[in-house]
Amino acid sequence: MKHSPESAWRACLDIIRDNISRQSFKTWFEPLKAVGLSDEGGLTKLTVQLPSQFYYEWLEEHYFALIRKTVTKVIGPQGRLYYEVVIEKEATDGQPGVSVQLPANPSSRAPTRPRAESVGTRSAVYPPGMGPPVSPQPPPNPFAAPGLLKTKFDSRLNPSYTFERFVEGDGNRFARSAAWAIGQQPGGTSFNPFMVYGGVGLGKTHLNQAIGNYANTHHTAETVLYISSERFTAEFVQAIQHNRASDFSIFYRQIDLLIVDDVQFFAGKEKTQEEFFHIFNALHQSGKQIVLSADRPPKEIDGIEERLLSRFQWGLTVDIQPPDLETRIAILQNKAEEDGIRLGRDVTEFIAQHVKNNIRELEGSLIRLLAYSTLRQSEITLDLAREVLRDLIREPQVQLTIADIQRIVCDYFDITEDQVRARTRKREVAKTRQVAMYFCKMHTNNSLKTIGLQFGGRDHSTVIHAYQTVENQIETDAKFSQMIEDVQHRISLRSR
Ligand code: ADP
Ligand code: MG
């Protein structure tokens, strides 16, 4: 009996339907359309149209055997199935869609993926004899006309996030060496996907972009793309709004090294997750490299589908831990050197000791310090660092006691603490006592009464009087005012 394309395909579908689940049939076979049946060189060629390149990959990967048997049964041993993929071109260039012919070669399966022969800007024709990827090397990019993407493609990488600038320490050593291996051979290691997780500001973005920068500079991957999951989501939503969802899909399937940052933000975005799931599968199946980051271990991310979470962990999942003191010092010194500043060891140590959990804050401290020293035209000293970084470094605030202040003030004026606590009215002692009361009122939460009691049982009006006297004298006596500032300085050093 002579078949039309439709009847041949319908006969095939009847067989296929009986062999797979309803859901799979609906998803993968119902959208296909028979578009041609012709005899060519002793073969009978049945051509069906696929909605996207991804269908082609999926069908070849999952239904190859079934399709071969079916076509042979319906058309005979000379039967061959051909796929035609319609690629929607960007609306801007006004060209009609381009279709791509992909033979599903039921009689032989070559061990490697097709080599793309470029025809025009966004279409490609594969020679017969292809199969799904077996080689670990990324296959040539079917949508890339040679030389076109290379010059035009924006990887969206920050060029300063390189391996050279990434300081290695115990907390990131393993992640770094895995990342390095991936950079050498994207898609060619078993670290696919590569998932790095850890707290904010620990270098996840830097490290993952270093892979991308390396691959670009050393040409180990042709198309590299860095994108945050938020931006991915936003662009996907936009693509849907403008009926460009298939362009979106096609765009992502041409990437050789895809870096998606902060995947925890996919949580709750079901449609986006689904799209990413398909992109992930397509890339992974064709040996492309996927690099991911998250702020916590994948299994702790809520709101992301299980099938996606499990894929995140197919390859290598590593964490980055906060850097230890030595690493923090090294990072600061590197950074200072890059900026051409000389920093005293005491200053780097001070910052490194106080900013522990976040490298971004470590860098922020340095920048702030630099800004102040430039503004004030003063050297970067430990004192300046203490002052400038006061709120940034958030040292545990020490709540000073009356005794603490008595000690600091007495030390400064060289009077014993016993003397200020006694009832003596000697002039220097009285002055020291007033200053100490002044600072107690300023820096402790004690009532005037309590303060008075600890200065030899004086009453609250004495404390008020002391406070006002000191204030007045600061106004009128420059030398005194300077002394008060010195004492204030000593107190602030103690209270941080
Ligand atoms: P995350 O993505 O984990 O929040 P980032 O990669 O954005 O962290 O890092 C924050 C800042 O700290 C960046 O400026 C980055 O260059 C720097 N940084 C992080 N880790 C290192 C490191 N090991 N060596 C040098 N700089 C680092
Ligand atoms: Mg980040």
Side-chain angles (χ1 to χ4, degrees), residues 160-161 165-169 172 198-207 261-262 293 320 327 331 334-335 358-360 363:
S160 62
Y161 287 157
R165 292 191 181 187
F166 190 81
V167 176
E168 189 175 324
N172 64 32
V200 174
L202 295 186
K204 304 182 295 295
T205 299
H206 184 143
L207 188 62
D261 212 358
D262 290 316
S293 81
I320 290 197
T327 312
I331 289 173
N334 265 18
K335 192 86 189 118
N358 187 326
I359 297 171
R360 191 174 291 119
E363 293 181 348

Side-chain angles (χ1 to χ4, degrees), residues 86-126:
V86 177
I87 300 171
E88 295 294 333
K89 290 196 56 166
E90 313 240 333
T92 46
D93 63 13
Q95 300 284 313
V98 177
S99 70
V100 180
Q101 286 255 321
L102 308 163
N105 191 342
S107 54
S108 73
R109 300 194 88 192
T112 53
R113 283 259 306 193
R115 293 179 59 78
E117 280 168 14
S118 162
V119 282
T121 48
R122 296 191 70 192
S123 66
V125 175
Y126 298 103

Side-chain angles (χ1 to χ4, degrees), residues 8-151:
W9 184 234
R10 252 199 320 275
C12 290
L13 288 182
D14 285 341
I15 297 174
I16 292 169
R17 190 185 293 110
D18 289 342
N19 282 282
I20 63 177
S21 76
R22 243 189 80 227
Q23 187 57 46
S24 302
F25 183 79
K26 266 178 84 81
T27 310
W28 299 110
F29 290 92
E30 270 186 7
L32 313 193
K33 233 171 63 192
V35 290
L37 185 68
S38 56
D39 287 321
E40 276 173 35
L43 297 177
T44 305
K45 188 171 152 187
L46 171 63
T47 307
V48 295
Q49 207 176 61
L50 313 184
S52 76
Q53 160 87 6
F54 182 56
Y55 271 76
Y56 161 70
E57 287 166 7
W58 190 269
L59 291 172
E60 281 285 273
E61 178 69 17
H62 294 90
Y63 300 110
F64 169 76
L66 175 63
I67 289 171
R68 170 167 63 176
K69 269 203 308 229
T70 307
V71 169
T72 309
K73 210 180 226 165
V74 172
I75 305 176
Q78 82 289 3
R80 297 287 183 274
L81 185 69
Y82 271 72
Y83 301 123
E84 189 175 290
V85 181
V86 177
I87 300 171
E88 295 294 333
K89 290 196 56 166
E90 313 240 333
T92 46
D93 63 13
Q95 300 284 313
V98 177
S99 70
V100 180
Q101 286 255 321
L102 308 163
N105 191 342
S107 54
S108 73
R109 300 194 88 192
T112 53
R113 283 259 306 193
R115 293 179 59 78
E117 280 168 14
S118 162
V119 282
T121 48
R122 296 191 70 192
S123 66
V125 175
Y126 298 103
M130 66 181 78
V134 180
S135 145
Q137 287 303 320
N141 177 354
F143 297 107
L148 187 75
L149 280 175
K150 250 182 258 160
T151 47

Side-chain angles (χ1 to χ4, degrees), residues 103-361:
N105 191 342
S107 54
S108 73
R109 300 194 88 192
T112 53
R113 283 259 306 193
R115 293 179 59 78
E117 280 168 14
S118 162
V119 282
T121 48
R122 296 191 70 192
S123 66
V125 175
Y126 298 103
M130 66 181 78
V134 180
S135 145
Q137 287 303 320
N141 177 354
F143 297 107
L148 187 75
L149 280 175
K150 250 182 258 160
T151 47
K152 272 196 176 169
F153 198 83
D154 176 10
S155 291
R156 301 179 187 169
L157 291 164
N158 176 343
S160 62
Y161 287 157
T162 59
F163 283 119
E164 288 75 24
R165 292 191 181 187
F166 190 81
V167 176
E168 189 175 324
D170 285 346
N172 64 32
R173 183 165 291 114
F174 184 50
R176 189 196 168 281
S177 64
W180 174 258
I182 292 164
Q184 312 292 303
Q185 227 188 330
T189 67
S190 53
F191 311 150
N192 199 13
F194 176 58
M195 155 68 85
V196 56
Y197 70 88
V200 174
L202 295 186
K204 304 182 295 295
T205 299
H206 184 143
L207 188 62
N208 284 351
Q209 290 212 17
I211 301 175
N213 278 314
Y214 186 96
N216 269 343
T217 338
H218 296 80
H219 308 293
T220 55
E222 196 148 340
T223 31
V224 177
L225 182 73
Y226 166 85
I227 190 155
S228 68
S229 65
E230 296 110 304
R231 184 159 172 192
F232 181 94
T233 305
E235 289 184 1
F236 177 58
V237 170
Q238 245 188 359
I240 292 179
Q241 280 169 353
H242 296 98
N243 280 327
R244 304 264 295 267
S246 73
D247 278 351
F248 183 89
S249 297
I250 289 166
F251 174 77
Y252 276 92
R253 283 172 176 77
Q254 63 169 340
I255 310 295
D256 297 318
L257 167 53
L258 176 63
I259 305 165
V260 184
D261 212 358
D262 290 316
V263 295
Q264 73 273 4
F265 293 125
F266 279 145
K269 316 253 165 52
E270 283 164 30
K271 281 293 247 182
T272 309
Q273 283 179 36
E274 193 183 331
E275 178 65 25
F276 186 64
F277 175 77
H278 293 310
I279 290 170
F280 183 104
N281 288 340
L283 294 183
H284 195 268
Q285 278 165 20
S286 36
K288 312 290 184 65
Q289 180 71 48
I290 300 157
V291 169
L292 308 166
S293 81
D295 67 350
R296 67 202 92 157
K299 56 178 179 298
E300 287 174 20
I301 307 177
D302 289 331
I304 292 191
E305 273 186 272
E306 199 46 49
R307 60 178 189 170
L308 201 49
L309 282 186
S310 81
R311 273 166 178 74
F312 288 170
Q313 301 167 82
W314 269 358
L316 178 69
T317 304
V318 293
D319 65 333
I320 290 197
Q321 292 291 331
D324 53 29
L325 181 68
E326 285 70 26
T327 312
R328 296 199 297 275
I329 292 176
I331 289 173
L332 278 171
Q333 281 171 343
N334 265 18
K335 192 86 189 118
E337 244 168 62
E338 273 170 26
D339 296 348
I341 333 160
R342 288 177 65 88
L343 275 191
R345 179 86 189 169
D346 54 344
V347 176
T348 31
E349 269 179 23
F350 173 78
I351 302 174
Q353 255 156 11
H354 289 95
V355 185
K356 293 184 178 145
N357 295 316
N358 187 326
I359 297 171
R360 191 174 291 119
E361 278 184 15

